[in-house]
């Protein structure tokens, strides 16, 4: 019996492309021919698509292959972000996908899945997909991206390392072929992120490196309702539990919290007591809190456009290399979010009566990204913190259970309506209809209601840990669902009883005056304010400049 067939296959594929190579390097004009030589029908291909950096040239080249010769590819990648990521399915090159997040391609993905042109193997969390790279979804060919390479083929990924190490290591040490798209060739790299011995082929991209400011929100668009919700979170949750290790999902709601830390939170005497250690990209709206001394450390899954100089100048806060640039790593940041934070707060598109939430609707399959991982109360955790223990005791007492472990706080912070007439709160998630429509084994629920501890809206806070049964849980959610159909169907008697027990808290219960929810509380009211507070280090992209 032979045990080196995959190794021999790799050597044979590289040999078939040897005439196109100069050492490890292939000319950009030959990249389609090279891919045609090393990729075979039925291969599992990982095309690096991150939240921000994309292997755009390799994606375009892959989409140009001849589907009569290469087809039935199985694509495994974290984010389906570019049109080319979907084109490989439309052109018949690929037929199956395992992914985490579909970004702007969610509608096209849903249409293809409904028409049977694509089979969705699974919608994963980031960590889940990375783990499967080392088990049953190891790529045969990995198409990755880096900022720079030296002439030997060592790679420097820059501030946006993101998924690259997980992809490359899985493929390189399992007889996979690693092809790297790079944007600049240099004699000496700032640091080596991926050694040349892990890389088989390098191509110098003719395209500019495109990074999107996915995590930037303009403070000018934060309204009084979001400020009110931020006040509720800070006083009703962060202060109550002393939350110091946390992750903020990305959105105007959480940005409002960040901009209220140096003002409202400081007025409550919370500096040094909350929000000191975060798992989060370097979002610009954290600049005032960092400058005010609220934040001690930030572990980032990736970078953010315009923040490189600021991050470099704050090495005590961020994880930077000796060269000064940020070193992000999505896998390690997600691990930190799974095991070492005490609170996750984010938003969603739909919430049902038991607190299950999803971003998958009938119109689009957005995927989950890291939310199910960051927003899960992992039973394997064994270290304790005061926040974790306090939440665990509260939950155990309400359920009349022995106190055996703490509990992660998982907060859904949402407006009651997503848009005019589109309610966030629903009797039944679209995920159930999507399961049937797409023939999925399970409904694509992002965060299970069992893990959700609090729901926050402009109406108030529902502390689901204090609910004694499913009926109370339903009424607690209805009690903060506002004028949605779900909210209007509340049992007022039960809701009042829940309010008396502190399960539901409205602003007045926390001593918060609606009139105090003013934009005057924002530590920065515009993007330009953020630039000024950073001392000019933050350089926002042109789309966010009005000067």
């Amino acid at each position: 019996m032979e045990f080196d067939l995959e190794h021999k296959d790799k050597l044979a594929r590289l040999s078939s492309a040897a005439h196109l190579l100069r050492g490890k390097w292939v000319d950009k004009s030959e990249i389609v021919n090279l891919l045609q030589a090393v990729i075979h029908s039925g291969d599992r291909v990982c095309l690096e698509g991150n939240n921000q950096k994309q292997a755009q040239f390799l994606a375009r080249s892959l989409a140009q292959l001849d589907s009569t010769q290469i087809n039935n590819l199985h694509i495994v990648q974290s984010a389906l972000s570019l049109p080319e990521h979907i084109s490989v399915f439309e052109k018949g090159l690929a037929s199956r996908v395992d992914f985490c997040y579909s970004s702007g391609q969610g509608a096209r993905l849903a249409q293809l899945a409904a028409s049977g042109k694509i089979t969705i193997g699974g919608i994963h969390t980031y960590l889940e997909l990375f783990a499967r790279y080392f088990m049953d979804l190891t790529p045969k060919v990995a198409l990755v991206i880096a900022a720079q390479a030296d002439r030997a083929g060592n790679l420097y990924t820059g501030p946006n390392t993101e998924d690259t190490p997980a992809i490359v290591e899985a493929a390189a040490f399992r007889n996979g072929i690693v092809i790297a798209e790079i944007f600049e060739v240099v004699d000496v790299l700032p640091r080596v992120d991926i050694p040349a011995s892990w890389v088989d082929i390098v191509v110098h991209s003719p395209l500019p490196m495109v990074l999107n400011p996915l995590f930037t929100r303009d403070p000018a668009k934060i309204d009084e309702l979001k400020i009110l919700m931020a006040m509720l979170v800070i006083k009703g949750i962060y202060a109550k539990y002393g939350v110091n290790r946390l992750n903020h999902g990305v959105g105007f709601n959480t940005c409002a919290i960040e901009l209220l830390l140096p003002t409202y939170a400081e007025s409550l005497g919370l500096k040094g007591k909350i929000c000191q250690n975060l798992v989060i990209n370097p979002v610009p709206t954290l600049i005032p809190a960092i400058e005010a001394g609220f934040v001690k450390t930030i572990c980032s899954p990736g970078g953010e456009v315009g923040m490189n100089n600021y991050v470099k100048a704050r090495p005590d806060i961020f994880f930077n290399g000796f060269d000064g640039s940020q070193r992000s790593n999505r896998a390690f940041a997600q691990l930190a979010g799974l095991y070492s934070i005490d609170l996750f707060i984010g938003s969603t598109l739909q919430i049902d009566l038991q607190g299950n939430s999803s971003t998958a609707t009938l119109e689009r399959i957005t995927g989950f990204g890291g939310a199910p991982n960051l927003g899960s109360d992992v039973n394997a955790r064994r270290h304790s913190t005061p926040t974790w223990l306090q939440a665990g005791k509260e939950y155990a007492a309400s359920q009349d259970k022995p106190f055996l472990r703490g509990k992660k706080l998982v907060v859904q912070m949402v407006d009651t309506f997503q848009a005019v007439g589109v309610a966030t709160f629903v009797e039944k998630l679209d995920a159930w209809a999507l399961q049937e429509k797409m023939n999925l084994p399970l409904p694509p629920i992002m965060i299970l209601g069992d893990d959700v501890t609090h729901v926050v809206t402009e109406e108030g806070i529902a502390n689901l840990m204090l609910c004694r049964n499913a009926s109370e849980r339903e009424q607690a959610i209805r009690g903060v669902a506002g004028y949605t159909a779900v909210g209007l169907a509340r049992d007022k008697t039960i809701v009042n009883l829940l309010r008396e027990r502190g399960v539901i808290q409205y602003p007045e219960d926390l001593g918060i005056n609606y009139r105090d929810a003013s934009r005057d509380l924002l530590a920065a009211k515009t993007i330009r304010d953020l630039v000024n507070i950073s001392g000019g280090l933050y350089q926002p992209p042109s789309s966010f400049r009005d000067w």
Side-chain angles (χ1 to χ4, degrees):
M1 187 173 181
E2 294 185 71
F3 290 96
D4 63 346
L5 294 177
E6 291 186 0
H7 179 63
K8 290 177 179 177
D9 178 66
K10 175 179 179 175
L11 294 178
R13 295 189 190 209
L14 290 175
S15 177
S16 70
H19 65 289
L20 301 171
L21 298 173
R22 298 294 179 268
K24 289 180 181 289
W25 293 82
V26 61
D27 188 81
K28 60 182 181 293
S29 63
E30 296 287 358
I31 190 63
V32 174
N33 292 330
L34 181 133
L35 294 178
Q36 197 86 27
V38 300
I39 297 176
H40 295 176
S41 291
D43 276 351
R44 190 179 299 119
V45 177
C46 181
L47 175 59
E48 185 171 9
N50 300 292
N51 271 338
Q52 292 178 298
K53 67 174 183 148
Q54 314 290 335
Q56 187 173 14
F57 179 55
L58 288 175
R60 290 185 181 181
S61 302
L62 181 66
Q64 293 176 39
L65 299 186
D66 186 349
S67 62
T68 64
Q69 297 182 43
I70 297 175
N71 48 66
N72 203 32
L73 297 179
H74 180 181
I75 302 296
V76 291
Q77 67 184 81
S78 62
L80 302 169
S81 303
L82 302 175
E84 291 84 359
H85 293 161
I86 305 298
S87 295
V88 294
F89 298 99
E90 293 172 331
K91 294 181 177 181
L93 291 162
S95 59
R96 185 178 181 87
V97 66
D98 282 89
F99 73 107
C100 303
Y101 184 64
S102 61
S103 190
Q105 305 304 317
R108 289 176 70 195
L109 179 64
Q111 292 167 3
L112 285 172
S115 66
K117 290 186 177 181
I118 181 172
T119 299
I120 298 175
I123 307 175
H124 302 69
T125 71
Y126 289 122
L127 267 186
E128 189 178 14
L129 186 61
F130 298 160
R132 292 190 70 188
Y133 287 166
F134 292 87
M135 295 294 289
D136 59 327
L137 292 183
T138 307
K140 185 63 181 178
V141 179
L143 308 176
V144 300
I145 184 171
Q148 297 177 344
D150 63 18
R151 301 185 193 284
N154 295 297
L155 305 182
Y156 167 64
T157 54
N160 289 83
T161 301
E162 297 193 279
D163 301 3
T164 315
I167 298 169
V168 173
E169 186 157 341
F173 290 90
R174 194 64 174 78
N175 296 304
I177 295 173
V178 177
I179 303 173
E181 170 185 347
I182 60 96
F183 292 92
E184 187 179 7
V185 183
V186 297
D187 293 324
V188 180
L189 294 173
R191 65 172 188 259
V192 175
D193 290 313
I194 304 292
S197 60
W198 297 10
V199 181
D200 298 296
I201 299 166
V202 185
V203 60
H204 191 176
S205 175
L207 303 176
M209 192 170 189
V210 177
L211 296 175
N212 296 316
L214 296 182
F215 305 98
T216 299
R217 298 293 183 272
D218 189 343
K221 296 181 179 180
I222 297 175
D223 60 27
E224 286 78 8
L225 284 182
K226 289 178 175 54
I227 293 168
L228 175 64
M229 284 193 284
M231 295 168 72
L232 286 167
V233 169
I234 289 171
K235 193 169 185 180
I237 299 176
Y238 288 11
K240 175 182 177 180
Y241 296 98
V243 177
N244 252 321
R245 310 188 321 178
L246 66 159
N247 167 258
H248 276 186
V250 179
F252 285 105
N253 292 341
T254 47
C255 287
I257 297 173
E258 291 151 15
L259 291 172
L260 260 61
L261 291 177
T263 57
Y264 181 67
E266 185 152 2
S267 74
L268 297 176
L270 295 175
K271 184 176 178 180
K273 298 177 181 179
I274 65 168
C275 298
Q276 293 182 295
N277 306 289
L278 291 99
V279 174
I280 193 171
N281 283 62
V283 294
T285 43
L286 270 174
I287 290 173
I290 293 171
E291 296 303 303
F294 259 85
V295 180
K296 286 186 176 180
T297 62
I298 293 177
C299 170
S300 295
E304 178 61 350
V305 178
M307 285 290 285
N308 290 347
N309 290 341
Y310 182 79
V311 170
K312 187 174 183 177
R314 301 292 183 269
D316 288 351
I317 304 295
F318 297 93
F319 287 77
N320 294 348
F322 285 112
D323 62 304
S325 69
Q326 181 185 12
R327 164 71 174 187
S328 63
N329 187 302
R330 189 174 306 285
F332 288 146
Q334 289 289 324
L335 272 175
L338 183 65
Y339 280 104
S340 67
I341 64 173
D342 295 322
L343 177 142
F344 163 81
I345 184 167
S347 191
T348 187
L349 295 179
Q350 289 186 335
I351 298 177
D352 69 13
L353 300 179
Q354 291 304 311
N356 299 303
S357 65
S358 183
T359 53
T361 66
L362 293 176
E363 292 77 26
R364 56 176 174 164
I365 304 175
T366 307
F368 306 136
N373 172 68
L374 297 161
S376 66
D377 183 28
V378 59
N379 283 322
R381 174 172 168 174
R382 291 296 178 268
H383 75 281
S384 298
T385 60
T387 302
W388 188 70
L389 292 173
Q390 181 181 341
K393 288 177 181 177
E394 190 173 286
Y395 178 70
S398 73
Q399 303 302 306
D400 196 24
K401 292 181 177 180
F403 174 53
L404 299 176
R405 58 182 296 272
K407 191 169 181 63
K408 180 191 283 188
L409 297 167
V410 177
V411 183
Q412 292 286 18
M413 183 183 184
V414 296
D415 294 15
T416 53
F417 285 92
Q418 296 287 331
V420 177
V422 181
T424 301
F425 294 90
V426 295
E427 299 279 344
K428 189 175 183 179
L429 298 175
D430 283 358
W432 292 99
L434 202 60
Q435 177 193 12
E436 184 176 349
K437 184 178 180 180
M438 305 299 178
N439 196 29
L440 300 173
L442 293 169
I445 293 172
M446 182 174 68
I447 296 180
L448 295 170
D450 289 347
D451 284 327
V452 177
T453 61
H454 296 77
V455 176
V456 181
T457 71
E458 68 272 19
E459 189 170 10
I461 300 173
N463 184 341
L464 304 184
M465 290 191 297
L466 298 180
C467 297
R468 295 166 180 161
N469 51 52
S471 177
E472 286 191 355
R473 190 178 185 88
E474 174 183 328
Q475 290 301 322
I477 290 171
R478 290 187 187 276
V480 296
Y483 287 95
T484 64
V486 166
L488 293 173
R490 71 186 67 177
D491 184 316
K492 294 181 180 179
T493 301
I494 296 177
V495 166
N496 286 335
L497 290 172
L498 293 175
R499 187 178 178 187
E500 289 175 9
R501 283 173 35 205
V503 177
I504 295 174
Q505 289 182 300
Y506 296 137
E508 56 268 31
D509 300 327
L510 291 165
I512 295 174
N513 192 316
Y514 291 89
R515 289 176 294 182
D516 292 336
S518 162
R519 281 183 47 82
D520 290 339
L521 286 177
L522 296 175
K525 298 177 181 62
T526 64
I527 289 288
R528 189 161 193 167
D529 287 346
L530 294 174
V531 174
N532 292 336
I533 294 169
S534 75
L537 292 170
Y538 173 44
Q539 300 175 327
S542 58
S543 59
F544 283 89
R545 292 176 180 265
D546 59 0
W547 65 92

